């Protein structure tokens, strides 16, 4: 299963462990583990955990003989924005979310989106598979305090539905019961079993982009002494020159009229960490520089007129820019699922201001509506907030 | 670009191995030297600091607050292109071990002196080889010197080889505590002109850490990378043999002295039935014993191994393949090792294993903690090897020599 | 005796912070990582003629994963406890080579950074030794995210009292597993190394102040030390978008004091100065603590205890918030 680092660590563990416990109820054996290469997990960054279930110890050993499974019966994705693919923490290249899903296997996604909208994002396969949607908002919490909005049991209920040969709903419920998750959580599991939406996906259906990849060099071509070349310094906006007057020590934040854009690392992009992206109103921007200054990922290109254009390959969606922006609605974080490319907003704006404002206006409306339902928030905010959010999620579950 | 040193003409000195290496540091115009006190190696730093105090030697001499820092400082000085030297002994060497390990991994040509000393506990000043030997698997070249002259010559060879771009590996010069670090011998000190001719300036090239060469050094890796990186270091170590031969030949031309081989020293081995093998200063009593036994008609020889890393497998095989039996004298221990033998014993035995005709190999542990290895000890070991020859097999694989029951 | 340093003018306001980036994309830190921001601001202030050495920690492992690097300037890894030795070795190598004419003479900034684990815990003795070498120009920057954040958030000597960590988890019997109070690092180094011309605390939430501190440290001559407080969304457990705000709250509650000691003179900065002069009231510590999951298990009494300790440091200490001891009061 694929999850967002720390934000869903407990969620992921609950799911894979319960799968194994449930399988035990049916006399099977299994194991559950997080992929060590993705550890130490970082918040937001895509990570993987596996549950392996077998009929015999020998079969289990055969599966474990391959540390990371080359194909799986079920892929579980607990954040639908990762349908665009994941760039794993210590690995290179973009992996489609269904990369490991075997022919005829199932991809389970928690989402409020329609199947067709999701399939637009999911990279196409040359074999058919099954898409299952658990209607729910993405559940985020942090390292220490778990937000128990029943997302874990919803997934497990759905799993019993789409993959009964793996484990039955009764075994699943019994396993939940063993862990002391009685009452409401069992109801949620059963409800999810009934409500899970399934949609067969045909070969060749879906996103036809070729995910960026990386070829590992051999020891003879790698530089010795553990040396790799540094990233080159900055250049003028959109590759222009920095001009005679440029001085790295004194040329100021507004780019001194030349604009400035840092050369960005070519082999690691980080955008698949993002579950939201900033949408910028360049007309209300007062050029205070704070978004640019406080960005930990050096995302902002400085335009010649001193505006700041967030680079969507580098942005990981932390939302600090939104938090520090003093102008209302000048920077708004919008659900990543609303976008299909990483294009420059500034270029869109300069090309067609009216079109840009229509586009931005719609996105902001959609986001405000979504926030009213359940804010897409990461990590702990204040005592009681998780309980309040879970309340919403659970009442939504029982209607 | 050499600094003014006290000697413009070749001269003889009566000095210890430590002082010889200190003088080599000044002749090599080492840029950064770090010190931390521990017996017996620290005598070298006492000489270095005096040379600097007297203006005979211009270097950044830093007294660190621990051996770990001592080795970290030279490691980073070496990364920006400075010629470096440091050293330690016994548990001090072990305190620095993290830094020692990464220095080889980073391919930094740091040259270090190990004044071999027994490891604590109990605290003891005397020589044992276990301290230096701990780096044998890590990518350090490791040399055991036998005399003060050899200490000086090996130091000059060390920078030449370590800083060769085909190598870029650190080198440790092992000197037996007290026997070499503290006892004085006649040493021929070369001129600055000779050394400048022999030793080019250290040039790290594209691996140098400098704003003109903005590189990132030693990022974190996962399993996709580490085997390739280890293989690179392995290949660098394989390349050292040719570089050492080349550098040693030139050494003999420039300085007019040296053995036939940079890796080993053979003494009366040609027709020997029994060859004793050892490292460091024990060579002296062994050679004396060999001469005496030869007078009694016993066909004994001695093989002194100088480079322990790289281990000169071919030359050692060649030197030992003609005799009937080999007795390896270890000034170290390896608890629980194969046959409970010493470290050198097991390395020599495994080197010989694939020969069609291999001699018997027998292990002796002797001279630990600085205890003397006497001529009669050597004779005792030899007669035990003779017993094995007579029996047609090694009757006792390992024996501790001169230990009270 | 120190060699020449670079010209790095002080900035007045955010608009003068240089546009130059020496730390760009390619790092794999968490969303909203304040320490990554600190790296970026650090090198913006220092400029391209700088060598950076980084000891093991998040800013090593997450920043530089083999084959991708965010660094535009030369960067090298050093061991966990070695920031002090790495800075000394780098500076000594450059000084020696330049003095002997083996390298083009120019002032090159040398910066070694360490986390709180590498600086406040393991590396303290090497940092202390580095601060004794007034012949070398170097800066040691401790980015303090108050835990061993790289290895899964284990408590360090710089973690706050009561904080949840994987080595100090609240349990059924022991609610507070970390009973140590955060080490008072900068005053310890300042008092212990009177010849050091510059030590300071800092926080990435205050961009111009941070920039100026880096520049003062690099231009004043000799070894210098800066300790920055870096909110960590992962280990502290809060929404990444609040990194900047939590940094300010740490200062505004008086839990973190912003100051610099220049040639023996203590200068408080920003909100800390206003608080010390009574111009501004300290915010209650709960405004800060209750925003973080790592303190979610604290009870009313715990919060009260925390507040009292902070009050004590401001009201009872000889130098409020900085120096806990003072001259013996002889009375009348």
């Amino acid at each position: 299963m694929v999850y967002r680092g720390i934000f869903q660590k407990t969620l992921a563990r609950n799911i894979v462990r319960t799968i194994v416990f449930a399988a035990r109820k049916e006399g099977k054996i299994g194991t559950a583990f997080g992929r060590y290469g993705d550890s130490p997990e970082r918040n937001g960054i895509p990570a993987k955990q596996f549950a392996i279930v077998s009929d015999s110890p020998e079969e289990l050993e055969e599966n474990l003989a391959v540390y990371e499974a080359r194909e799986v019966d079920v892929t579980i994705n607990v954040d639908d924005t990762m349908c665009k693919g994941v760039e794993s923490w210590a690995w290179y290249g973009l992996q489609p979310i269904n990369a490991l899903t075997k022919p005829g296997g199932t991809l389970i996604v928690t989402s409020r989106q329609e199947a067709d909208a999701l399939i637009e994002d999911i990279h196409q396969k040359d074999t058919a598979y099954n898409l299952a949607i658990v209607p729910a908002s993405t559940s985020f919490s942090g390292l220490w305090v778990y937000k128990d909005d029943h997302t874990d049991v919803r997934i497990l209920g759905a799993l019993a539905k789409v993959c009964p040969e793996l484990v039955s709903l009764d075994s699943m419920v019994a396993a939940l019961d063993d862990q002391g998750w009685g009452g409401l959580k069992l109801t949620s599991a059963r409800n999810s079993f009934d409500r899970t939406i399934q949609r067969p996906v045909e070969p060749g259906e879906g996103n036809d982009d070729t995910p960026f990849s990386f070829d590992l060099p051999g020891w003879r071509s790698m530089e010795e002494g553990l040396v790799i070349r540094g990233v080159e310094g900055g250049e003028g906006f959109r590759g222009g020159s920095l001009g005679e007057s440029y001085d790295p020590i004194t040329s100021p934040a507004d780019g001194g009229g030349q604009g400035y854009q840092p050369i960005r690392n070519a082999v690691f992009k980080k955008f698949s960490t993002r579950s939201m992206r900033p949408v910028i109103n360049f007309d209300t921007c007062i050029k205070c520089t704070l978004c640019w200054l406080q960005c930990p990922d050096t995302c902002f290109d400085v335009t010649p007129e001193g505006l700041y254009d967030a680079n969507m390959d580098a942005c990981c969606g932390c939302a600090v820019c939104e938090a520090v922006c003093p102008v209302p609605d000048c920077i708004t974080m919008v659900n990543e699922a609303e976008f299909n490319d990483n294009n420059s907003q500034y270029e869109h704006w300069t090309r067609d201001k009216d079109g840009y404002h229509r586009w931005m206006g719609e996105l902001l409306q959609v986001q405000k509506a979504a926030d009213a339902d359940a804010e897409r928030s990461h990590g702990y905010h204040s005592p009681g907030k998780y309980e309040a959010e879970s309340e919403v999620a659970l009442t939504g579950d029982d209607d | 670009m050499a600094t003014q040193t006290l000697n413009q003409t070749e001269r003889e000195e009566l000095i210890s191995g430590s002082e010889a290496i200190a003088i080599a540091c000044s002749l090599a115009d080492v840029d950064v030297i770090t010190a931390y006190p521990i017996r017996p190696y620290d005598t070298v730093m006492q000489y270095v600091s005096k040379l600097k105090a007297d203006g005979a030697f211009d270097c950044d001499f830093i007294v660190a607050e621990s051996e770990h820092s001592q080795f970290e400082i030279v490691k980073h000085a070496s990364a920006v292109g400075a010629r470096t030297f440091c050293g330690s002994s016994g548990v001090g060497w072990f305190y620095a071990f993290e830094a020692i390990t990464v220095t080889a991994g980073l391919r930094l040509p740091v040259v270090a002196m190990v004044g071999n000393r027994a490891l604590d506990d109990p605290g003891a000043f005397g020589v044992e080889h276990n301290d230096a030997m701990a780096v044998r698997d890590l990518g350090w070249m490791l040399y055991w010197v036998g005399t003060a002259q050899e200490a000086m010559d090996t130091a000059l060879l060390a920078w030449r080889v370590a800083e060769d771009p085909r190598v870029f590996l650190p080198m440790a010069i092992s000197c037996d505590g007290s026997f070499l670090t503290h006892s004085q011998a006649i040493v021929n000190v070369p001129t600055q002109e000779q050394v400048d001719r022999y030793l080019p300036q250290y040039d790290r090239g594209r691996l140098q850490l400098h704003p003109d060469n903005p590189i990132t050094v030693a990022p974190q890796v996962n399993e996709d990378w580490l085997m390739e990186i280890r293989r690179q270091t392995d290949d660098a170590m394989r390349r050292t043999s040719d570089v050492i031969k080349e550098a040693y030949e030139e050494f003999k031309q420039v300085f007019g002295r040296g053995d036939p081989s940079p890796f080993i020293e053979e003494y009366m081995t040609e027709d020997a039935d029994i060859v004793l093998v050892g490292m460091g200063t024990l060579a002296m009593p062994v050679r004396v014993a060999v001469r005496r036994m030869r007078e009694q008609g016993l066909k004994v020889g001695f093989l002194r191994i100088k480079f322990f890393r790289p281990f000169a497998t071919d030359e050692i095989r060649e030197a030992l393949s003609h005799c009937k039996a080999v007795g390896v004298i270890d000034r170290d221990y390896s608890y629980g090792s194969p046959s409970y033998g010493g470290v050198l014993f097991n390395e020599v035995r495994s080197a010989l294993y694939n020969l069609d005709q291999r001699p018997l190999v027998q292990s002796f542990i002797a001279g630990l903690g600085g205890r003397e290895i006497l001529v009669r000890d050597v004779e005792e070991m030899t007669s035990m090897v003779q017993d094995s020859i007579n029996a047609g097999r090694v009757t006792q694989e390992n024996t501790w020599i001169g230990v009270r029951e | 005796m120190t060699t020449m340093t670079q010209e790095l003018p002080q900035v007045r306001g955010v608009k003068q912070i240089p546009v130059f980036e020496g730390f760009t994309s390619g790092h794999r830190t968490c969303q909203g990582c304040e320490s990554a921001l600190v790296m970026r601001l650090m090198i913006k202030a220092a400029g391209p003629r700088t060598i950076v050495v980084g000891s093991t920690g998040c800013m090593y492992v997450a920043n530089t994963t083999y084959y991708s690097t965010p660094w535009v300037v030369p960067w090298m890894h050093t061991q966990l406890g070695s920031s002090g030795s790495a800075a000394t070795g780098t500076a000594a190598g450059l000084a020696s080579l330049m003095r002997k004419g083996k390298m083009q003479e120019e002032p090159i900034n040398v910066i070694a950074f360490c986390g709180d684990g590498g600086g406040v815990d393991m590396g303290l003795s090497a940092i202390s030794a580095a601060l004794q070498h007034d012949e070398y120009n170097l800066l040691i920057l401790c980015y303090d995210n108050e835990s061993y954040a790289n290895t899964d958030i284990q408590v360090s000597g710089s973690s706050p009292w009561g904080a949840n960590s994987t080595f100090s988890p609240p349990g059924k019997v022991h609610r507070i597993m970390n009973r140590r109070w955060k080490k008072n690092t900068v005053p310890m180094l300042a008092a212990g190394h009177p010849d050091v011309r510059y030590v300071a605390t800092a926080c990435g939430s205050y961009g111009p102040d941070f920039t100026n501190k880096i520049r003062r440290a690099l231009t004043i001559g000799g070894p210098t030390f800066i300790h920055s407080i870096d909110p960590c969304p992962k280990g502290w457990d809060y929404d990444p978008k609040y990194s900047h705000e939590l940094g300010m709250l740490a200062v505004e509650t008086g839990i973190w004091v912003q100051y610099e000691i220049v040639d023996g003179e203590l200068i408080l900065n920003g909100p800390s100065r206003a608080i010390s002069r009574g111009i501004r009231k300290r915010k209650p510590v709960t405004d800060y603590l209750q925003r973080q999951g790592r303190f979610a298990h604290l009870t009313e009494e715990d919060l009260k205890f925390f507040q009292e300790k902070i009050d004590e440091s401001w009201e009872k200490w000889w130098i409020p918030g900085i120096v806990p001891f003072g001259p013996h009061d002889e009375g009348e």
Side-chain angles (χ1 to χ4, degrees):
Chain A
M1 77 162 292
V2 186
Y3 63 103
R4 287 212 179 274
I6 293 302
F7 296 141
Q8 299 177 317
K9 188 176 189 170
T10 314
L11 174 62
R13 196 178 57 241
N14 287 353
I15 291 168
V16 292
R17 287 170 57 83
T18 308
I19 291 169
V20 175
F21 289 142
R24 293 297 289 156
K25 298 285 173 193
E26 301 181 0
K28 302 182 175 114
I29 64 165
T31 181
F33 59 94
R35 187 201 203 188
Y36 180 72
D38 287 326
S39 172
E41 290 152 306
R42 311 283 162 183
N43 61 10
I45 289 174
K48 292 181 191 155
Q49 290 204 15
F50 294 91
I52 298 175
V53 169
S54 306
D55 294 323
S56 69
E58 294 71 19
E59 188 193 345
L60 180 64
E61 209 168 76
E62 284 200 17
N63 289 308
L64 287 176
V66 184
Y67 177 66
E68 178 173 353
R70 298 297 187 270
E71 56 177 22
V72 299
D73 296 291
V74 182
T75 304
I76 299 169
N77 169 12
V78 285
D79 178 352
D80 60 358
T81 58
M82 286 189 293
C83 285
K84 296 180 171 189
V86 298
E87 192 179 19
S88 186
W89 183 72
W91 272 257
Y92 290 95
L94 190 74
Q95 296 179 22
I97 192 67
N98 56 6
L100 302 184
T101 315
K102 66 169 57 160
T106 303
L107 167 64
I108 300 177
V109 183
T110 48
S111 183
R112 293 260 179 228
Q113 296 186 68
E114 300 298 324
D116 291 352
L118 283 177
I119 290 168
E120 266 184 39
D121 290 340
I122 302 169
H123 292 85
Q124 55 185 218
K125 282 178 89 75
D126 51 17
T127 55
Y129 64 98
N130 179 30
L131 173 66
I133 301 174
V134 179
S137 303
T138 305
S139 173
F140 288 135
S141 58
L143 192 54
W144 307 124
V145 190
Y146 181 51
K147 176 175 158 188
D148 189 3
D149 57 8
H150 297 196
T151 300
D152 44 14
V153 294
R154 285 202 184 97
I155 295 284
L156 293 162
L159 179 62
K161 173 70 164 285
V162 303
C163 201
E165 66 277 20
L166 175 71
V167 53
S168 71
L169 181 62
D170 292 345
S171 306
M172 197 68 87
V173 168
L176 295 173
D177 218 8
D178 288 355
Q179 296 172 80
W181 295 349
L184 263 181
K185 290 197 84 163
L186 301 190
T187 318
S188 294
R190 290 206 170 82
N191 290 345
S192 178
F193 183 89
D194 301 331
R195 293 177 186 173
T196 297
I197 300 153
Q198 298 197 65
R199 152 82 147 86
V201 183
E202 298 307 318
E205 205 182 350
N207 178 353
D208 60 3
D209 297 350
T210 317
F212 63 88
S213 60
F214 177 79
D215 296 327
L216 295 164
W219 70 269
R220 293 180 192 278
S221 53
M222 287 158 60
E223 262 194 272
E224 299 198 43
L226 308 178
V227 164
I228 57 174
R229 297 287 132 190
V231 186
E232 284 183 21
E235 56 190 357
F237 188 68
R238 297 302 177 255
S241 86
L242 284 164
E244 296 305 310
S245 64
Y246 171 74
D247 170 15
I249 304 300
T250 55
S251 289
D254 62 13
Q258 301 290 339
Y260 184 94
Q261 97 189 359
I263 308 286
R264 294 192 170 83
N265 187 288
V267 293
F268 186 78
K269 299 184 186 302
K270 205 177 186 181
F271 67 81
S272 76
T273 298
R274 181 173 69 219
S275 64
M276 299 181 294
R277 75 167 65 174
V279 173
I280 299 167
N281 186 339
F282 297 98
D283 290 296
T284 57
C285 172
I286 57 169
K287 304 180 179 180
C288 71
T289 78
L290 288 180
C291 56
W292 162 83
L293 179 65
Q294 294 294 325
C295 177
D297 290 273
T298 326
C299 288
F300 289 90
D301 295 340
V302 185
T303 75
E305 62 267 65
L307 293 167
Y308 298 93
D309 183 31
N311 177 292
M312 284 303 136
D313 277 351
C315 171
C316 65
C318 71
V320 165
C321 52
E322 180 194 52
V324 297
C325 181
V327 180
D329 293 344
C330 180
I331 299 181
T332 310
M333 297 306 289
V334 175
N335 188 337
E336 181 64 19
E338 300 296 328
F339 305 88
N340 292 321
D341 59 46
N342 285 345
N343 297 346
S344 157
Q345 294 174 11
Y346 172 80
E347 285 171 15
H348 182 181
W349 176 73
T350 42
R351 204 170 48 242
D352 168 17
K353 290 199 167 46
D354 297 343
Y356 183 80
H357 279 283
R358 275 196 302 280
W359 175 79
M360 185 177 65
E362 285 162 20
L363 286 171
L364 266 55
Q365 283 208 337
V366 173
Q367 189 58 39
K368 289 206 165 82
D371 289 349
D373 172 19
E375 188 192 341
R376 191 179 181 85
S377 68
H378 309 54
Y380 187 87
H381 291 243
S382 57
K385 188 167 194 295
Y386 284 163
E387 290 76 353
E389 286 171 354
S390 300
E391 191 69 22
V392 176
L394 297 186
T395 44
D397 192 64
D398 293 328
D399 54 25
Chain B
M1 169 74 200
T3 51
Q4 283 303 307
T5 66
L6 293 180
N7 75 306
Q8 295 307 313
T9 57
E10 210 165 343
R11 71 182 197 278
E12 270 190 3
E13 295 270 355
L14 181 61
I15 52 177
S16 70
S18 293
E19 194 168 4
I21 290 179
I23 293 170
C25 285
S26 73
L27 288 168
D29 190 29
V30 175
D31 302 307
V32 176
I33 296 181
T34 55
Y36 187 82
I38 184 171
R39 290 167 189 267
Y41 108 97
D42 65 333
T43 45
V44 72
M45 295 305 179
Q46 297 177 32
Y47 294 120
V48 165
S49 57
K50 191 76 170 75
L51 284 171
K52 171 165 178 156
D54 293 339
F57 178 21
D58 177 15
C59 69
D60 282 55
F61 177 74
I62 299 167
V63 180
E65 104 293 351
S66 72
E67 285 95 352
H68 186 279
S69 293
Q70 192 191 351
F71 279 75
E72 278 290 327
I73 291 169
V74 287
K75 178 190 107 189
H76 286 279
S78 180
V80 297
R83 177 166 290 162
T84 55
F85 175 74
C86 68
S88 195
S89 289
V91 289
W93 179 249
F94 274 49
Y95 193 86
F97 218 72
E98 182 191 37
I100 286 170
T101 304
V102 296
T103 299
L106 287 159
R107 306 285 304 278
L108 291 165
V110 169
V111 172
M113 169 182 170
V114 187
N116 297 123
R117 170 180 176 164
L119 296 168
D120 296 5
D121 259 349
F125 296 151
V127 55
E128 277 174 11
H129 289 173
N130 287 78
D131 52 4
M133 275 184 170
V135 299
R136 69 182 195 212
D137 303 328
L138 301 178
W140 278 71
M141 292 177 284
L142 190 47
Y143 190 106
W144 256 274
V145 299
T147 66
Q149 182 71 64
E150 193 181 6
M152 168 172 291
D153 297 351
T154 304
L156 297 173
L157 180 81
W159 286 296
R160 166 74 184 250
V161 172
E163 294 171 359
D164 188 304
R166 294 167 289 178
V167 175
F168 279 155
L169 288 172
M171 177 158 161
I173 303 165
S174 277
C175 302
D176 288 356
S178 95
F179 297 117
L180 207 91
T181 56
H182 286 64
S183 26
Q184 308 191 333
I186 299 289
V187 174
N188 188 314
V189 180
T191 66
Q192 189 63 63
E193 185 278 326
Q194 284 173 301
V195 174
D196 292 346
R197 189 143 42 93
Y198 180 66
L199 203 53
Q201 206 180 104
Y202 169 35
D203 178 4
R204 195 150 176 79
R206 275 171 61 83
L207 305 188
Q208 182 185 22
L209 195 69
H210 188 280
D212 293 340
N213 185 46
I215 51 175
T216 292
V217 181
Q220 174 85 3
V221 302
N222 66 6
E223 63 265 37
D224 279 350
W225 300 101
L226 198 53
M227 272 196 81
E228 284 68 24
I229 287 163
R230 297 279 185 248
R231 182 69 181 83
Q232 284 183 325
T233 308
D234 176 65
D235 201 61
M237 184 56 91
R238 289 169 191 261
R239 289 194 295 260
T240 54
S241 298
D242 289 344
V243 176
I244 289 167
K245 283 181 200 151
E246 184 185 300
Y248 199 63
E249 282 315 306
E250 196 170 327
F251 182 93
K252 287 191 273 191
Q253 288 163 22
V254 174
F255 300 98
R257 60 174 169 271
D259 303 330
S261 162
F263 303 103
I264 57 172
E265 175 199 328
E266 294 188 74
Y267 186 72
M268 297 189 178
T269 52
E270 320 71 28
D271 62 337
D273 294 331
I274 296 173
V275 176
L276 300 168
V277 179
M279 301 196 297
T281 54
L282 60 76
M284 207 179 301
V286 173
R287 274 196 299 262
V288 173
V290 165
R291 280 199 296 273
R292 290 193 191 171
M293 290 185 285
R294 281 273 174 179
E295 285 160 13
Q296 297 154 17
L298 208 55
K299 284 185 168 181
V300 192
F302 173 59
L303 172 70
R304 180 169 72 93
I305 291 176
K306 301 192 285 184
F307 268 101
F308 185 71
R309 288 290 183 270
F311 194 82
T313 310
D314 294 343
E315 298 203 12
I316 289 164
R317 279 177 172 170
E318 177 54 31
L320 298 179
S321 55
H322 312 300
C323 67
K324 296 192 175 118
V326 173
V328 183
I329 311 168
D330 274 275
R331 204 160 211 157
D332 62 74
Y333 49 86
S334 180
Y335 302 131
S337 68
S339 312
Y340 295 92
V343 175
L344 183 61
F345 160 75
N346 273 305
E347 298 247 334
V348 168
R349 186 167 64 167
S350 69
L352 298 178
Y353 187 80
N354 285 340
L355 292 178
D356 302 334
Q357 284 188 321
R358 53 175 181 265
L360 302 171
V361 188
Q362 196 160 353
S363 164
F364 301 101
I365 306 291
L368 298 186
R371 184 170 298 188
E372 264 191 279
I373 297 174
L374 302 168
V375 171
R376 73 170 129 82
D377 296 329
V378 181
E379 291 169 344
E380 181 193 348
M381 293 185 252
T382 312
S383 70
M384 290 177 74
V385 176
Q386 184 60 56
D387 294 345
S388 297
I389 294 173
N390 299 343
R393 61 183 183 81
V394 178
T395 46
Q396 187 174 328
E397 283 191 303
N398 169 263
T399 312
W400 285 52
I401 298 298
V403 62
R404 293 186 300 277
E405 293 299 329
Chain C
M1 192 283 292
T2 57
T3 55
M4 183 177 53
T5 62
Q6 290 182 32
E7 291 279 318
L8 301 170
Q10 295 283 293
V11 300
R12 287 182 306 285
V14 288
K15 300 237 169 185
Q16 288 187 4
I17 291 176
V19 74
F20 164 78
E21 305 285 2
F23 178 80
T24 172
S25 67
H27 56 90
R28 307 177 184 217
T29 56
C30 297
Q31 291 173 331
C33 176
E34 193 75 351
S35 296
L37 176 64
V38 159
M39 294 294 118
R40 179 175 165 238
L41 294 176
M42 168 190 88
I43 203 65
K44 268 183 170 302
R49 304 304 286 177
T50 303
I51 294 175
V52 181
V53 201
S55 66
T56 310
C58 281
M59 292 304 102
Y60 166 50
V61 173
N63 256 347
T64 49
T65 306
Y66 190 81
Y67 228 75
S68 69
T69 177
W71 293 103
V72 173
V73 297
W75 182 93
M76 180 177 176
H77 172 230
T78 192
Q79 296 310 105
L80 182 52
S82 300
S83 55
S85 328
T88 306
T90 307
L94 295 173
S96 190
L97 291 168
M98 289 181 193
R99 184 182 65 251
K100 295 180 176 189
K102 295 178 182 178
M103 181 187 280
Q104 173 73 35
E105 187 141 25
E106 71 162 308
I108 293 173
N109 300 320
V110 173
I111 304 176
F113 65 74
C114 54
D116 46 308
V120 176
D121 281 351
M122 191 194 263
L124 201 51
S125 78
I127 290 170
S128 170
L131 294 180
Q132 289 185 295
H133 285 283
D134 70 350
E135 69 270 37
Y136 300 129
N137 299 329
L138 55 90
L139 163 62
I140 297 162
L141 171 68
C142 177
Y143 66 95
D144 183 356
N145 48 26
E146 300 195 321
S147 79
Y148 289 81
N150 183 59
T151 45
D152 262 350
I153 318 298
Q154 292 89 355
V155 66
S156 84
S158 207
S159 300
W161 179 89
N164 193 343
S165 86
T166 51
F167 281 1
S168 60
K172 294 187 180 64
V173 175
H174 302 289
R175 187 181 67 260
I176 304 299
M177 285 285 282
N178 179 34
R179 311 196 71 86
R180 293 185 289 172
W181 198 261
K182 185 179 176 74
K183 213 182 274 186
N184 194 18
T185 306
V186 166
M188 163 171 48
L189 293 175
H193 308 83
D195 292 335
V196 170
R197 301 189 58 194
Y198 190 81
V199 292
T201 61
C203 173
S205 302
Y206 303 92
D209 179 75
F210 192 94
T211 304
N212 287 334
K213 282 172 171 172
I214 295 285
R215 288 187 160 185
R216 251 184 233 108
L218 290 172
T219 51
I220 199 167
T224 56
F225 182 83
I226 294 176
H227 188 181
S228 93
I229 182 83
D230 301 1
C232 170
K234 173 185 174 183
W236 299 13
D237 188 0
Y238 63 84
D239 190 314
K241 78 170 144 191
Y242 298 125
S243 284
H244 177 262
E245 186 179 348
L246 276 159
M248 294 199 298
L249 279 170
V251 175
E252 291 165 353
T253 53
I255 291 173
W256 181 260
V257 188
Q258 288 276 83
Y259 59 92
E260 52 199 330
I261 299 169
V262 190
D263 287 326
E265 281 190 6
L266 172 69
I267 304 156
L268 282 93
N269 318 110
S272 300
R273 173 190 299 218
I275 290 168
S276 71
R277 293 177 173 181
I279 300 165
R280 180 168 181 169
K281 267 183 66 56
R282 275 181 286 126
K283 290 184 174 170
V285 296
T286 49
D287 289 10
Y288 173 74
L289 301 179
Q290 295 199 317
R291 296 280 297 278
Q292 305 171 48
R294 63 174 172 163
F295 296 117
H297 58 290
L298 263 53
T299 63
E300 285 305 321
E301 302 77 64
D302 298 334
L303 296 168
K304 188 162 165 294
F305 170 74
F306 207 111
Q307 183 66 64
E308 284 165 359
K309 288 282 286 183
I310 298 304
D311 293 346
E312 182 190 337
S313 74
W314 282 94
E315 291 153 17
K316 304 257 167 55
W317 287 14
W318 189 30
I319 301 179
I322 300 167
V323 179
F325 54 83
H328 175 60
D329 181 3
E330 297 296 342
E332 290 313 304

